[in-house]
Amino acid sequence: MKRSQHSKTLGSLGIVVAFALTIAANAATSVPTPKKTVAPHLSGNLRDAAGEVSVLVDINEFGYVIDAQIYDSTNSELNDATLSAIHQWTFTPAMEDGSPKSSRVVQPFSFNRGSIVLKAKKTPEDSLPIAKVKTRPQLSEELKHITGEVVLQADLGADGKVKAVAVNSSTHSELEPVAAEALKNWKFKPATEAGQAVASKVIIPFQFKGSGNARVVAVAKRTKNLDQAPYAIRQHAPELPKALRHARGDSKLKLTIDANGYVADVDVLESTHSELTALAQAAALQWKFKPALKNGKAVPSTVTQPFSFNGGLLVADAPVDSVPEVKRTQTPKIPEALALVQGYVKVRVSLDDRGHVVNASVAQSSHDELIGPTIEAAKQWSFKPATRGGERVPSSILIPFVFNEQS
């Protein structure tokens, strides 16, 4: 197997690890087993990538991942997404003499052009499951304009048939049932061990690309004199990579919303940072609105949505002349179990016209256990308020709290 440059540096360590795990297995009553798994998010050209990636994972006595390194890889382009995913896993910790213990394991990821298997072949002669018959999701008229993703995990029998389906992650909960129904009809060439077909698990990402958007855009342009403008009821935050986490830039987007409240199209009106704008576009496609009303009927419409990236803070509200500026911060008090865990919590904060926090809620998080202390900390922040037309105005911002990034 071809190794990445990073994995070669771990070659000698791998021998020590294998020996340590053997000793642990003899003394322990159990070894760590995954409890919550997160599939690597592959975008663009990587969605159909193939390769084998093994990750060396350090797990504390509470079952949280405190460190992860690439141990072996045949496709280095898959490494970052794999590491990002496994830092969000939790495990049932290893047990020794009835007590939980820290441990170290090697977790394999096998990527096969759209499918992911969290298992390695025991011998070169063994095989992993391969999809032979695929059924496309059947979308209703209401759902066909959505652009998004649903990641499912399927339990396969030794006959290659799908026995059970569970949701790993998704951008739109409304797409989950139709994706699951489609996957239940897939057929696989089963995995084999020692020449025998065996049961297995496979992760399948379903990508959805909205259709008929041009027609929705055309209708939305003609829609005038609304009884009620659309308003957002679900807002996903942009996913910022580490390199852009403290970048500054402004974007103004025009969102076309269909009669069911889904974002059918996103156009860029203004942009000072192309990379940040692209991330804002991707996030806006996941939003959902209460649709506009005209003559008591839901109709397509458009809204102008600004995004202001302010060195880690995200302002996604009505246009302002100046965005809120931080005056006072408070660091979350993290439980001992998560002290070394790499994770994040994105907190949506509503500010009054004095810059005081009036409400704080979680927008997204890597670990549920981080949410409580982070929300409490965010409530203690204060800001120099946003202004519009020379007047102080209420606003809302998104604060990303990132833990142990230096690890």
Side-chain angles (χ1 to χ4, degrees):
M1 177 181 291
K2 179 183 178 182
R3 296 191 171 192
S4 67
Q5 185 64 35
H6 190 177
S7 68
K8 289 179 181 178
T9 65
L10 295 171
S12 59
L13 177 61
I15 299 174
V16 177
V17 171
F19 179 67
L21 288 176
T22 301
I23 295 175
N26 292 334
T29 57
S30 68
V31 296
T33 55
K35 186 164 61 173
K36 184 193 83 172
T37 61
V38 175
H41 177 69
L42 304 180
S43 58
N45 295 333
L46 289 181
R47 285 173 179 160
D48 293 323
E52 308 287 332
V53 179
S54 294
V55 182
L56 185 64
V57 188
D58 286 303
I59 305 161
N60 68 12
E61 65 269 32
F62 303 100
Y64 295 105
V65 175
I66 58 173
D67 197 17
Q69 303 176 64
I70 297 298
Y71 177 67
D72 210 358
S73 177
T74 63
N75 187 343
S76 61
E77 292 184 331
L78 296 168
N79 292 356
D80 287 346
T82 305
L83 286 173
S84 178
I86 204 162
H87 274 293
Q88 300 177 54
W89 286 33
T90 58
F91 290 76
T92 300
M95 300 291 290
E96 184 176 328
D97 299 328
S99 300
K101 297 291 183 181
S102 58
S103 56
R104 175 175 282 185
V105 298
V106 175
Q107 174 62 51
F109 292 76
S110 297
F111 299 86
N112 186 22
R113 307 190 185 283
S115 65
I116 305 169
V117 178
L118 306 178
K119 186 178 180 181
K121 296 185 293 184
K122 293 182 178 180
T123 70
E125 291 74 28
D126 296 341
S127 65
L128 299 175
I130 300 174
K132 296 194 302 180
V133 178
K134 300 180 181 181
T135 301
R136 295 174 62 88
Q138 299 299 307
L139 296 175
S140 64
E141 183 70 23
E142 177 181 345
L143 301 178
K144 72 177 186 178
H145 299 140
I146 296 176
T147 295
E149 179 185 65
V150 176
V151 181
L152 301 176
Q153 178 173 296
D155 292 343
L156 308 180
D159 56 0
K161 293 182 179 179
V162 176
K163 305 300 182 183
V165 173
V167 177
N168 190 286
S169 64
S170 74
T171 59
H172 297 75
S173 58
E174 300 88 344
L175 293 172
E176 294 171 10
V178 292
E181 191 60 34
L183 184 53
K184 289 175 182 177
N185 294 313
W186 283 33
K187 300 291 188 300
F188 290 80
K189 181 180 179 181
T192 62
E193 292 181 3
Q196 298 294 317
V198 295
S200 60
K201 297 179 184 290
V202 62
I203 294 173
I204 304 292
F206 284 83
Q207 307 293 334
F208 295 85
K209 178 68 174 176
S211 62
N213 292 349
R215 180 174 60 83
V216 176
V217 170
V219 174
K221 286 181 178 179
R222 297 195 301 267
T223 304
K224 308 294 182 182
N225 303 319
L226 297 173
D227 301 333
Q228 178 179 294
Y231 60 89
I233 57 176
R234 183 174 69 207
Q235 295 174 292
H236 289 278
E239 292 288 340
L240 299 183
K242 184 176 180 180
L244 296 176
R245 201 160 285 158
H246 301 294
R248 297 176 183 268
D250 295 285
S251 307
K252 185 181 290 185
L253 307 179
K254 183 174 76 172
L255 280 54
T256 299
I257 303 157
D258 70 14
N260 294 297
Y262 297 108
V263 178
D265 196 42
V266 179
D267 289 323
V268 178
L269 301 179
E270 297 177 11
S271 172
T272 63
H273 195 300
S274 60
E275 291 176 282
L276 290 175
T277 298
L279 295 171
Q281 283 182 284
L285 283 168
Q286 301 177 38
W287 289 20
K288 188 178 182 182
F289 288 75
K290 187 76 173 177
L293 296 178
K294 183 175 182 179
N295 299 325
K297 182 181 178 181
V299 293
S301 60
T302 62
V303 296
T304 299
Q305 178 64 52
F307 287 83
S308 180
F309 298 87
N310 188 24
L313 303 179
L314 170 65
V315 181
D317 209 338
V320 293
D321 299 328
S322 66
V323 299
E325 296 180 10
V326 178
K327 291 171 56 180
R328 183 183 70 235
T329 64
Q330 175 67 44
T331 302
K333 296 179 180 179
I334 301 303
E336 178 188 356
L338 293 117
L340 299 177
V341 170
Q342 293 185 39
Y344 65 88
V345 179
K346 297 178 182 178
V347 179
R348 191 176 303 281
V349 173
S350 297
L351 307 176
D352 61 19
D353 60 4
R354 295 175 297 170
H356 296 163
V357 175
V358 295
N359 187 50
S361 60
V362 63
Q364 194 175 3
S365 74
S366 61
H367 298 76
D368 291 345
E369 300 86 345
L370 290 171
I371 294 174
T374 305
I375 291 290
E376 288 305 308
K379 291 178 179 178
Q380 306 305 313
W381 285 39
S382 66
F383 297 79
K384 180 180 178 181
T387 63
R388 185 186 305 120
E391 300 291 331
R392 298 182 304 182
V393 294
S395 60
S396 68
I397 63 173
L398 190 84
I399 308 173
F401 289 81
V402 181
F403 302 94
N404 294 307
E405 182 179 59
Q406 71 276 9
S407 298

